Amino acid sequence: RMTARPVELELKYRVTDPTTGERLIGAERLAELAASGSPRTTQLEDRYVDTGDGALARAGFAVRLRQSGAGTVVSVKSLARTEGPGGAVRREELEGPADRVAAAVEWPPSDARSLVLEHAGDAPLVERVTVRQLRRKRVLRSGPTRVELSLDEVDVVARGRIVGRFLELEAELLKGPEEALAGLGAVLDAEVGLRRSRSSKLEAALGALDGTAEIEPSGELPTAADLPSRDASDAAPGRLVVGKAPGVTADDHIAEAGRKVMRFHLARMLDYEAGTRSGLDSEDVHKMRVATRRQRAAWRVFGEAFRPGRTKRYRKGLREIAGRLGAVRDLDVQLEAADAYRADLPVAEQRALEPLMNAWRSHREDARVLLLRELDADGFRRWVDEYRDFVRTEGAQVLAVGPVQPHRVRDTAPSRIWAAYEAVRGYEPVLRWADVETLHELRIAGKWLRYTLEFVREALGPGSAPLIARVTTMQDHLGLLNDADVTASMARTFLVEHAGELSGLESAAIGRYLVDRERAVARLRRTIGPTWRGITGPAYRRALGRVVAGL
């Protein structure tokens, strides 16, 4: 038995006023501590386990398996706590690597594993409760002292359903004298929107399960009305707060993996809405459209896990807003390409292209009017509200699965990835003679392969990045080809429809631009080989096999 263990020392507060938590996590200075960098967002899933007869709890320990994009870590924390400076909670803690689905005896060696085996033996570990957190954290510094401040939006999950929610602020001493927490504690104690908490997240979660709320007499869990929605961290209405990636793990239910992806890209879509409305930067339209496309792709990849009749309105809403955004964005692409083409031309030649450019600008403004009308519609706002609730509510509209029916990412993603790869490889016999339409279909197949990999890239690990990059290279090449072909077609149509209105100089200039785009199409068709071989050669197949096998 070990006699000395690492010690965790932290201040814990239940947040009763969400605006207080937002203000504190965003503060540049608290007490004598200065913030270092901006808050970083991570998504965590903590599964608390014990033997069936509670052997670990009887021995005085709580065991947590934490799942994140980096893998699984086991933490063994002492249930016995002492008080540190400023009322901080002190308790012993051990950590080590683990495997969420393997028995404890199969985990990599560590002191945490040894302690679990000492008290649990070979008894299987069963789940007590799961806690999911959206954590925003930053480091506060003063000389050698380092304190990690975190604001956690916590969901308590049992049997796949959210049974409680609360908001918690923690300040953990990472480095420096323990007395450093005393001054910070005095500042936080003075905040009326905070209430000192001495219970752990596990105790609060168990209290939510049995209806006793927190296991301390000083209060109750906040109700849903007290809690911020995921968009409460920003002044902008309707904003979702997400991490830097969707946070999909190998053990996620396929429906919840899809929900994470949809939530991530819906947040991005809404973030770019204001810029799209202002029209000051065409990139906002582009980014909003990309986010919408990603969500539509997520429905294709994960949609079969949801009830089709109950979720049809979400897919329809995405299709409608994607169409409006696409009409504007496609004309932006044509105008940007034409501007680049004529940048080095003589002034007279540039002016001769103006009739074509003016016509496209007029079409673009018409499309923008329709887009803004869609964004302003009451129906769109209702759709956003309903869809936002859907992507935030675990278990919503999920089809039931049998106990042995494959339903996790690790069970289902390999076949999806290989099927998407097979769809791309199917073009090999016709690639040499493929026309533009066939190459456009190949581009779509490449897009689904890319998205299928991207959506589970965290579960696949770092080896997936170069594989996705190669698919993206082919997709970009084919995208340029498609853009050039569309531009040539639009220029040709304009020349036919306006032949009687154009001067000879204007017709000739537009004709030369048409020929330039046709030559670009021919060149891009000739040079598809290297990018194609980059994703169909033996090296790529072996690398893809290794990554998929890791699931």
Side-chain angles (χ1 to χ4, degrees):
R1 182 188 299 271
M2 291 165 288
T3 57
R5 302 187 182 108
V7 173
E8 172 189 71
L9 185 67
E10 62 183 1
L11 299 165
K12 296 172 68 70
Y13 294 86
R14 194 55 45 84
V15 180
T16 57
D17 177 12
T19 59
T20 300
E22 299 299 330
R23 176 168 51 79
L24 293 172
I25 197 67
E28 294 303 318
R29 178 173 289 275
L30 291 172
E32 300 301 318
L33 301 166
S36 174
S38 301
R40 293 184 294 112
T41 303
T42 57
Q43 292 175 314
L44 305 171
E45 180 175 279
D46 297 335
R47 190 163 66 102
Y48 290 91
V49 297
D50 202 339
T51 61
D53 61 356
L56 291 165
R58 287 200 309 274
F61 297 102
V63 177
R64 180 189 74 195
L65 294 174
R66 169 163 287 178
Q67 185 78 17
S68 68
T72 303
V73 173
V74 58
S75 297
V76 183
K77 298 191 179 188
S78 171
L79 295 177
R81 286 160 286 196
T82 59
E83 187 170 304
V89 176
R90 181 193 291 116
R91 61 177 175 169
E92 296 175 338
E93 177 183 21
L94 292 174
E95 288 190 343
D99 186 318
R100 177 169 175 166
V101 297
V105 70
E106 299 175 14
W107 297 346
S110 70
D111 289 344
R113 170 180 174 269
S114 297
L115 190 58
V116 170
L117 294 176
E118 178 184 348
H119 296 289
D122 58 0
L125 300 179
V126 296
E127 180 177 317
R128 302 180 69 188
V129 68
T130 291
V131 170
R132 293 197 175 101
Q133 303 179 66
L134 184 69
R135 167 169 289 181
R136 277 174 291 156
K137 62 183 181 179
R138 68 195 311 191
V139 174
L140 307 178
R141 304 185 177 197
S142 178
T145 300
R146 301 289 185 272
V147 175
E148 183 179 86
L149 185 71
S150 64
L151 181 65
D152 300 333
E153 297 181 42
V154 183
D155 289 344
V156 181
V157 181
R159 295 180 294 279
R161 296 183 59 194
I162 297 176
V163 297
R165 284 178 168 155
F166 58 91
L167 191 62
E168 188 163 277
L169 185 79
E170 296 181 354
E172 181 179 356
L173 181 67
L174 303 179
K175 181 181 179 183
E178 293 187 351
E179 291 72 19
L181 286 183
L184 179 58
V187 170
L188 298 179
D189 286 340
E191 294 284 348
V192 296
L194 301 180
R195 175 168 49 78
R196 185 70 76 106
S197 174
R198 303 193 191 285
S199 69
S200 66
K201 287 190 176 76
L202 171 60
E203 291 168 338
L206 293 175
L209 278 180
D210 61 21
T212 61
E214 285 189 329
I215 303 181
E216 63 177 290
S218 58
E220 300 177 341
L221 282 169
T223 65
D226 298 322
L227 291 169
S229 63
R230 298 287 188 192
D231 56 344
S233 66
D234 255 278
R239 181 165 184 189
L240 294 165
V241 177
V242 296
K244 294 183 178 179
V248 171
T249 68
D251 289 303
D252 278 339
H253 188 295
I254 196 70
E256 300 313 320
R259 200 186 310 274
K260 286 181 179 180
V261 174
M262 295 170 201
R263 182 169 63 240
F264 180 81
H265 291 293
L266 175 61
R268 291 194 163 190
M269 186 189 100
L270 296 175
D271 280 351
Y272 291 114
E273 182 182 342
T276 296
R277 287 176 176 276
S278 73
L280 298 177
D281 187 348
S282 63
E283 276 301 297
D284 289 320
V285 174
H286 173 51
K287 292 174 180 177
M288 188 174 181
R289 184 195 191 191
V290 168
T292 308
R293 278 181 163 179
R294 293 292 200 280
Q295 291 172 80
R296 297 187 70 194
W299 278 106
R300 171 167 173 163
V301 173
F302 303 106
E304 65 185 37
F306 297 96
R307 298 178 182 177
R310 298 289 183 87
T311 56
K312 181 179 179 181
R313 63 186 183 278
Y314 306 136
R315 299 191 298 272
K316 180 181 178 183
L318 283 169
R319 184 172 64 250
E320 290 174 351
I321 191 61
R324 296 300 185 195
L325 288 163
V328 176
R329 177 58 188 169
D330 288 345
L331 285 159
D332 281 339
V333 171
Q334 310 310 321
L335 288 165
E336 290 167 7
D339 278 333
Y341 166 80
R342 68 177 191 160
D344 297 325
L345 296 178
V347 174
E349 186 85 354
Q350 291 186 32
R351 289 175 178 169
L353 287 170
E354 273 302 309
L356 177 65
M357 302 288 287
N358 286 335
W360 288 354
R361 292 187 191 106
S362 177
H363 291 324
R364 198 260 184 198
E365 286 307 307
D366 290 343
R368 176 169 164 76
V369 168
L370 294 176
L371 170 60
L372 294 179
R373 189 178 298 168
E374 178 73 21
L375 294 177
D376 289 335
D378 291 340
F380 176 74
R381 296 262 61 93
R382 286 194 300 270
W383 173 81
V384 168
D385 291 341
E386 292 175 3
Y387 188 35
R388 188 170 59 239
D389 287 343
F390 167 77
V391 300
R392 290 191 307 199
T393 306
E394 185 171 350
Q397 311 304 341
V398 177
L399 286 171
V401 295
V404 296
Q405 183 177 345
H407 62 275
R408 299 176 302 174
V409 167
R410 69 168 68 251
D411 304 325
T412 59
S415 60
R416 295 169 188 266
I417 291 169
W418 284 118
Y421 185 67
E422 289 169 3
V424 172
R425 284 290 302 274
Y427 285 83
E428 189 167 31
V430 302
L431 187 67
R432 182 177 298 179
W433 302 279
D435 57 14
V436 172
E437 183 176 349
T438 301
L439 291 174
H440 180 61
E441 293 171 357
L442 170 60
R443 180 192 177 202
I444 294 173
K447 184 188 304 182
W448 295 126
L449 173 59
R450 172 186 172 183
Y451 291 161
T452 305
L453 291 168
E454 275 188 353
F455 292 158
V456 296
R457 69 186 304 165
E458 293 158 283
L460 291 173
S464 63
L467 300 176
I468 294 169
R470 291 204 174 186
V471 180
T472 303
T473 298
M474 185 189 76
Q475 189 182 341
D476 289 345
H477 185 103
L478 293 172
L480 291 173
L481 189 155
N482 182 70
D483 290 343
D485 183 64
V486 170
T487 301
S489 176
M490 292 173 65
R492 186 180 300 107
T493 299
F494 182 84
L495 283 171
V496 171
E497 292 180 349
H498 299 271
E501 307 166 16
L502 300 173
S503 68
L505 182 60
E506 290 168 340
S507 294
I510 297 171
R512 283 189 287 271
Y513 182 45
L514 165 59
V515 171
D516 176 84
R517 294 295 81 201
E518 288 177 332
R519 288 174 176 168
V521 170
R523 174 177 54 80
L524 290 164
R525 286 182 64 189
R526 287 195 310 271
T527 56
I528 186 62
T531 58
W532 168 261
R533 289 189 292 274
I535 64 170
T536 57
Y540 188 93
R541 295 198 299 273
R542 285 194 294 268
L544 184 61
R546 286 193 296 270
V547 166
V548 171
L551 290 173

